[in-house]
Amino acid sequence: MTIERAVFAFAGFMVLLSVALTHWISPYFMWLTVFVGANLFQFAFTRFCPAALVFKAMGLKPAGQG
């Protein structure tokens, strides 16, 4: 798995988790969805993502590298 795919998988999981937490625990968990969306938006322009740094440290490679 590449860093990019891991970031998208992690973001998707966090969105689904926040929707479930919003539904069953508290509506304030919707802010987690807002944070994930804002992070993805800024990543598109800055190419900086804290999760990508963690995945890189775990040994995942960027797309295009074997």
Side-chain angles (χ1 to χ4, degrees):
M1 180 175 281
T2 64
I3 292 173
E4 290 79 6
R5 290 184 67 193
V7 166
F8 284 124
F10 182 69
F13 172 77
M14 292 305 292
V15 167
L16 292 174
L17 177 66
S18 69
V19 169
L21 291 171
T22 298
H23 179 72
W24 283 302
I25 306 296
S26 170
Y28 292 113
F29 277 106
M30 188 57 66
W31 286 107
L32 179 58
T33 306
V34 171
F35 174 75
V36 171
N39 195 5
L40 285 170
F41 185 74
Q42 68 84 29
F43 175 70
F45 295 102
T46 66
R47 302 289 294 167
F48 173 75
C49 179
L53 297 175
V54 172
F55 291 133
K56 185 176 182 178
M58 291 172 53
L60 289 152
K61 301 289 183 203
Q65 292 185 355

